[in-house]
Amino acid sequence: MQNIASYDFAGKKAIVRVDFNVPIVDGKITDDTRIRGAVPTLKLILEKGGALIIMSHMGKPKGKKKPELSLGQIVDAVSAALGAPVKFAPDCADAAEAAAALQPGEVLLLENLRYYPEEEGKPVGIDKEDPAYDEAKKAMKASQKEFAKKLASYADCYVMDAFGTAHRKHASTAVIADYFTAENKMLGLLMEKEVNAVDAVLNNIQRPFVAVMGGSKVSSKIGIIENLLGKVDKIILCGGMTYTFSKAHGGEIGCSIVEMDKLDVALGVEELAKKNGVELVLAPDAVCTNALDFGSMTVKEGGEIKVAPVNAIPEGFEGVDAGPEAQAKFAAALKGAKTILWNGPAGVFECDSFTAGSRAIGEAIAEATAEGAFSLIGGGDSVACVNKFGLADKVSYISTGGGALLEAIEGKVLPGIAAIKGE
């Protein structure tokens, strides 16, 4: 596989898939992490004498041109990050002239790829149940190839540096690679870091290996949990899924979130952990309330907050965070770990009254990292946690991947990586 560090970009045009799907409020970027993450790759290409064609998506326009999702809004921010003026192509499928005119050291940003349904390759305006859907899908896949071919025609080489979309077989993340030889397609620096980080926690494990899986639903994490149960020494399960496990054993959980149709799944996870000799760590207690306003993420005036056993939550109350005993139990389970994976918070950390559980996990991970552990933090909420608690520089690696990271952990092949490797 071609390596970006050794590739000769001099006099060549490189089309680079990045993930600039940044949050924008009132026309201003509120978090530029993804832009900063791509800068090393982009600057390296410029420093090596190449010209840059940058492409990305923003939001979910579903094949329609929506001004509020235009990448034109971030031109100045990208220019500032690169320290170079950035030109803008208002139509990503009609940028051949602008691309051809690029000189070494110049930068062109293409408009939102998802303004075209061909990017995602899904038929628009037709239900999957419609008898004509299969034909529409076949036609769209053919159009997707043409769209990818058009994008490829702008450049001499292709760089995939958008790990966050690597799990999608989109025109710009996977199909486009078919139009470049093996010598002229490669992973960017950010992608290489992500791939190496995942490899470290799945294939180059230093033990003990402790995984922390949080979130509201066991159903959304079951594939990941099952894959990890064949690799980890301990797994901490926290967050909303806690109450499905409690209910599976006949516990009283008040009005806490629960998946009644997944009680057998929870018991199955416990059996698999036991079979594999994995220590399953569950919360013995929970912080609960009868007055959480999810809209404002505050506790309503006059509401109560109390701690209760996780299997004896009072009627009318819902579990919203790991209790004090759980926090101590989680911290103890992380003590001495050498490989750590954290995905998903321990509670409704967005509300300042319920951050203690997630904070306890984050601080324990930071402490283990300081003692030599490799810690990988992935998933939007977990990343938000370490940022909120000021722990970002105290963990080994923070993944930008989200869904891509979860699929990689689940053991799935990511199309965006397979396309570069020629698999």
Side-chain angles (χ1 to χ4, degrees), residues 213-218 237-245 253 256-259 319-320 345-348:
M213 287 284 120
S216 59
K217 297 180 178 180
V218 67
L237 299 182
C238 57
M241 70 172 78
T242 300
Y243 311 108
T244 296
F245 281 83
I253 59 170
S256 304
I257 186 170
V258 63
E259 292 179 281
V320 289
V348 188

Side-chain angles (χ1 to χ4, degrees), residues 86-97:
V86 175
K87 300 176 182 180
F88 183 63
D91 187 337
C92 63
D94 186 21
E97 191 174 326

Side-chain angles (χ1 to χ4, degrees), residues 17-41:
R17 178 50 157 105
V18 297
D19 184 3
F20 283 175
N21 183 27
V22 294
I24 295 179
V25 178
D26 296 328
K28 294 182 179 180
I29 298 171
T30 57
D31 184 351
D32 68 348
T33 301
R34 287 174 173 169
I35 292 176
R36 287 186 285 108
V39 166
T41 291

Side-chain angles (χ1 to χ4, degrees), residues 50-71:
L52 269 177
I53 301 163
I54 306 172
M55 56 180 176
S56 178
H57 75 282
M58 180 177 282
K60 298 179 179 179
K62 297 183 179 179
K64 296 180 180 178
K65 296 182 178 180
K66 298 182 177 181
E68 67 272 20
L69 296 178
S70 172
L71 288 176

